[in-house]
Amino acid sequence: MSVQERLYTADDLLHLPDDGKIYELHNGVLIEILGATYGKSMIAAWIGYLLTAFILEHKLGGTIVGADGTCVLSKYNTRIPDVAYLTEQADKSQDENQFISGAPALAIEVVSPSNTLREMQERAGEYLDAGARLVWIINPEKKTADMYRTDGQRIAVSGDGVLEGFDVLPELKLPLATVFNPYGRT
C-alpha cells in the first residue's frame, strides 16, 4: 500500500494522469474504485433505462448519467453514483469537460458484495449533505432498497414495494420487482 503524501482536491483528481483506474475522493484521500460485477452493472443500467424512459414519456427535463459520472460534492469529496438524475437546470449548468458540479437531484447506488450497510448509509448522507434531494440504495443480494430523503427519513422497500420519485421525479412509482428483473427475464 502506498502512502498518500497530500490531500487531493476535485481539480487534482480531474487532472490526474490516466492510469486506467477510477478514483473517488474522501476527505482529500484518493480511493480506488473497483469495477462492478455483472449483476450490479446490469441492474444499474436497467434502472438508468427505466428512468430515461420515464423522463421521456413525461416530457421532463434533465439527464440520467451512469456509473462513470463523477460528482463533486465538495472540494475534497467526490462520489460516483451508479445512476444519477440531474434536473434540467443542473444539466444546463454543467461543463462537458469537467466533473459533474454538485450532487445530483437523485443519486442511486447499487450495493456490491464488499459494501457495508454503514458505508452505504454514509454515502447517502454525503449526497444529501451536498444537495441531493433523494438517494436510493439498491441491494440486489437481499432484493431490497432504501430511500433517503432530505428530511432525514429512511424508507425501507422490499417484496412488492415501490420506489418513488417524490418531488424529484413526481409520479414515478417503480415496482421493486421490476428493478430486480432486468429486461423482463423469467
Side-chain angles (χ1 to χ4, degrees):
M1 175 185 269
S2 64
V3 176
Q4 181 171 312
E5 296 180 15
R6 68 183 182 96
L7 296 180
Y8 286 84
T9 67
D11 191 55
D12 294 331
L13 181 62
L14 182 65
H15 294 97
L16 282 178
D18 186 356
D19 63 1
K21 299 176 183 177
I22 300 171
Y23 298 98
E24 289 181 332
L25 288 178
H26 184 69
N27 296 326
V29 177
L30 286 173
I31 307 292
E32 184 179 351
I33 303 299
L34 300 177
T37 63
Y38 172 71
K40 174 182 173 171
S41 180
M42 183 172 42
I43 288 172
W46 179 238
I47 292 169
Y49 166 79
L50 293 170
L51 292 179
T52 299
F54 177 84
I55 289 167
L56 292 173
E57 179 183 337
H58 290 83
K59 297 179 175 40
L60 301 174
T63 301
I64 300 296
V65 294
D68 54 355
T70 299
C71 297
V72 178
L73 303 184
S74 70
K75 181 177 180 177
Y76 295 107
N77 291 289
T78 64
R79 288 292 181 207
I80 305 172
D82 293 304
V83 183
Y85 168 66
L86 303 176
T87 63
E88 185 172 19
Q89 180 180 2
D91 181 46
K92 287 180 179 178
S93 70
Q94 299 300 318
D95 179 337
E96 290 185 10
N97 297 309
Q98 301 291 320
F99 291 140
I100 297 165
S101 178
L106 169 60
I108 302 166
E109 292 280 358
V110 181
V111 177
S112 293
S114 62
N115 295 132
T116 66
L117 175 61
R118 181 176 178 180
E119 174 188 0
M120 299 314 289
Q121 289 173 333
E122 286 175 4
R123 288 177 79 89
E126 290 172 12
Y127 287 119
L128 294 169
D129 289 346
R133 297 181 1 231
L134 181 61
V135 178
W136 292 351
I137 305 293
I138 310 295
N139 190 325
E141 185 178 316
K142 295 183 179 180
K143 301 234 184 300
T144 61
D146 290 318
M147 296 184 289
Y148 295 86
R149 301 188 63 192
T150 56
D151 61 4
Q153 186 178 23
R154 175 185 159 262
I155 302 165
V157 182
S158 62
D160 59 359
V162 174
L163 291 166
E164 295 187 40
F166 299 104
D167 64 325
V168 176
L169 291 168
E171 299 181 37
L172 175 66
K173 303 223 184 284
L174 185 57
L176 200 57
T178 301
V179 169
F180 294 121
N181 188 16
Y183 314 104
R185 294 180 174 181
T186 54

